[in-house]
Amino acid sequence: MREVFSPESLEALWPLLEAPSWALLAGGTDLLVKMRAGRSDPAAFICLERIAELRGVREGETDLWIGACTSHAELICHPLVERHLPVLHQALRTLGSPLIRRMGTLGGNICTASPAGDTLPPLYVLDAVLELRSQSGMRRVPIGEFITGPGRTGLEQGEILAGVRVEKPGGRQVHHFEKVGQRKAMAIGVASMAALLRLSVDGEIFSARFAWGSVGPTVMTCAPAEALLAGKRPSRGVFEQAAAVAMAAVAPIDDVRASAEYRRRVSGNLLLRLFPEGSTLT
Amino acid sequence: MEIRFVLNGKETQVSTAPDRRVVDLLREDLGLTGTKEGCGSGECGACAVLVNGESRLSCLMLAAQLDGKALTTIEGAPEDGRLQALQEAFVRCGAVQCGFCSPGMIIAAADLLGARPDTGREAIREGLSGNLCRCTGYAKIVDAVQAAFEKLQGGPTP
């Protein structure tokens, strides 16, 4: 039998974190499945769901703060997420199933650090900064530095992921997320891509951000493809060039869901979906 | 551990291991076998229950998490108008085949009807996308949820 602790405040949480073999439970949709498969065997659980300080969405002047223990379903329904972060909103709608989205949390998805984590590519293109808190204070780490490999993060002993801070994107933008899987619900992505394009008033691409899921050990970004589009007017030609660069840059594997070659081609094709089919650009 | 919660409208106190799965607590300790276990990993939806009115997967929930909450299972229908209307519609529309998935389907549909007053056929299909039926009876299930929705809205009944 494992003890289950359900602290109701951060103050009550800190002393519990001193035991290194206790698992943090932030929704349980990954952790409890892992345990059942024999891939995790914590001595006790620390449930984070009752800590109000870890939940909700708060709007600042220039940014949004999302509590790590906010469920995917709550985020989908949240007007600030829908209005300011459409790329995240689109990804959340493809995550798991309505039942999973009621339970799973944004912080749980980040700390599971799966290359296929559906909220991760949007958080990469939004330049999300993670707030890691411990009894002694708080540090902020960009998501790309926090996730270091499949299932591996920079979370230290005594630390939790408390929230995610994202700048509210301003100006003319295109947000896009698409996941290719074997079915719509419950499918782990064969490949996915989040894109965030900022456009100047006369329609030039001011900056482009792309992040791919399921095609490398962590979420993959591709600075050369992004640089290629910056300053250009959107056209099929420049997107084809960027897609070719991206296809060469991703590092997919063969597995039960798809071949590496298929994933590589899908990665490029997902970028092409922005033009002309993502008709917001034209 | 002593756990206090409201089970189908009744104050309940049970003594159990805190890490016992809610699905086991319901089926084995409390004798409420309406809740089914299919995959045991959140993929089939057969074990769905309502916690504080919203759907949860009881195979991925620990007994300790229930403390202080209100749990509704398929047996709670008389206390819950949504469940009642859905059960009647499932029978009327022939949406029950072997019946194994039905409790989870009805719970997921109840959550959908509670959360989305504008539910149309496409939204129903999406709302039930985490529930598997191996009898492949989805069309009639969608019919039933739509009929229950119309009844709850005071619209036409089949």
Side-chain angles (χ1 to χ4, degrees):
Chain A
M1 185 194 85
R2 296 173 181 88
E3 197 59 63
V4 180
F5 299 97
S6 302
E8 299 197 1
S9 68
L10 289 175
E11 287 311 302
L13 169 70
W14 303 132
L16 300 172
L17 296 183
E18 284 163 20
S21 59
W22 295 0
L24 292 170
L25 193 146
T29 57
D30 287 317
L31 178 61
L32 298 182
V33 173
K34 252 189 227 165
M35 277 180 54
R36 188 179 163 84
R39 289 186 286 122
S40 175
D41 187 19
F45 295 104
I46 304 171
C47 282
L48 301 175
E49 65 189 7
R50 292 176 197 239
I51 305 178
E53 294 144 286
L54 301 179
R55 302 184 74 122
V57 181
R58 287 176 226 145
E59 184 172 23
E61 214 159 279
T62 59
D63 59 11
L64 291 179
W65 180 90
I66 303 174
C69 285
T70 316
S71 75
H72 304 309
E74 285 170 77
L75 289 177
I76 288 175
C77 296
H78 204 290
L80 286 171
V81 174
E82 191 168 4
R83 182 158 98 233
H84 293 295
L85 313 174
V87 65
L88 179 61
H89 184 258
Q90 290 164 31
L92 286 163
R93 291 204 53 190
T94 74
L95 187 155
S97 68
L99 289 161
I100 291 288
R101 299 198 288 260
R102 280 275 190 222
M103 301 179 75
T105 62
L106 187 68
N109 202 229
I110 295 169
C111 289
T112 291
S114 161
D118 289 313
T119 65
L120 302 183
L123 292 173
Y124 275 67
V125 299
L126 289 163
D127 290 320
V129 173
L130 309 185
E131 290 189 354
L132 309 176
R133 289 186 66 173
S134 66
Q135 189 156 23
S136 59
M138 195 236 288
R139 63 184 177 114
R140 292 198 168 92
V141 182
I143 189 165
E145 289 172 28
F146 179 72
I147 296 174
T148 53
R152 287 204 311 273
T153 69
L155 203 64
E156 286 172 8
Q157 175 68 36
E159 231 176 18
I160 58 155
L161 170 58
V164 179
R165 205 168 276 284
V166 181
E167 293 288 316
K168 283 187 282 191
R172 235 184 115 191
Q173 303 173 5
V174 178
H175 287 234
H176 177 79
F177 176 86
E178 190 174 357
K179 172 164 84 173
V180 174
Q182 287 167 330
R183 60 184 278 239
K184 266 193 183 172
M186 294 307 306
I188 297 173
V190 162
S192 65
M193 189 196 74
L196 176 57
L197 305 183
R198 292 182 172 84
L199 303 178
S200 67
V201 277
D202 60 354
E204 258 181 21
I205 300 169
F206 177 71
S207 73
R209 295 297 315 275
F210 304 109
W212 288 264
S214 303
V215 292
T218 63
V219 166
M220 304 288 291
T221 54
C222 182
E226 293 171 351
L228 212 148
L229 289 174
K232 302 263 169 58
R233 195 157 283 282
S235 72
R236 180 77 185 181
V238 289
F239 277 90
E240 277 173 359
Q241 286 173 40
V245 171
M247 276 169 66
V250 295
I253 55 166
D254 292 301
D255 72 6
V256 64
R257 285 185 293 279
S259 68
E261 179 52 28
Y262 178 76
R263 285 194 162 98
R264 194 177 287 287
R265 290 183 55 177
V266 169
S267 299
N269 289 346
L270 283 172
L271 205 155
L272 290 178
R273 296 261 207 192
L274 281 160
F275 197 95
E277 283 175 332
S279 54
T280 35
L281 268 181
T282 54
Chain B
M1 179 190 184
E2 291 293 317
I3 294 167
R4 289 165 196 270
F5 62 110
V6 177
L7 175 59
N8 294 330
K10 292 190 193 75
E11 289 285 346
T12 303
Q13 183 170 350
V14 291
S15 182
T16 185
D19 66 339
R20 193 151 172 74
R21 299 183 312 164
V22 171
V23 66
D24 298 328
L25 181 76
L26 287 172
R27 292 181 55 83
E28 293 170 12
D29 302 7
L30 299 170
L32 294 173
T33 54
T35 301
K36 308 301 184 204
E37 181 177 9
C39 66
S41 54
E43 295 188 19
C44 77
C47 70
V49 294
L50 296 172
V51 176
N52 291 350
E54 295 178 343
S55 57
R56 293 286 183 280
L57 294 156
S58 63
C59 76
L60 296 181
M61 194 174 174
L62 306 174
Q65 292 179 275
L66 276 183
D67 197 46
K69 306 251 170 83
L71 176 73
T72 305
T73 67
I74 194 70
E75 289 91 348
E79 283 89 32
D80 188 306
R82 287 177 298 174
L83 289 186
Q84 187 77 45
L86 281 160
Q87 287 184 337
E88 286 165 10
F90 268 60
V91 171
R92 213 169 43 241
C93 297
V96 179
Q97 291 193 43
C98 87
F100 191 89
C101 74
S102 306
M105 287 282 181
I106 289 168
I107 294 287
D111 188 3
L112 177 71
L113 297 189
R116 293 272 298 268
D118 61 339
T119 300
R121 219 171 161 80
E122 200 45 48
I124 292 170
R125 295 183 71 85
E126 192 189 329
L128 300 180
S129 59
N131 295 75
L132 297 180
C133 166
R134 297 309 301 267
C135 305
T136 69
Y138 297 112
K140 287 180 176 178
I141 291 169
V142 175
D143 291 345
V145 177
Q146 192 167 28
F149 172 68
E150 284 169 4
K151 185 178 177 197
L152 289 166
Q153 295 287 304
T157 45

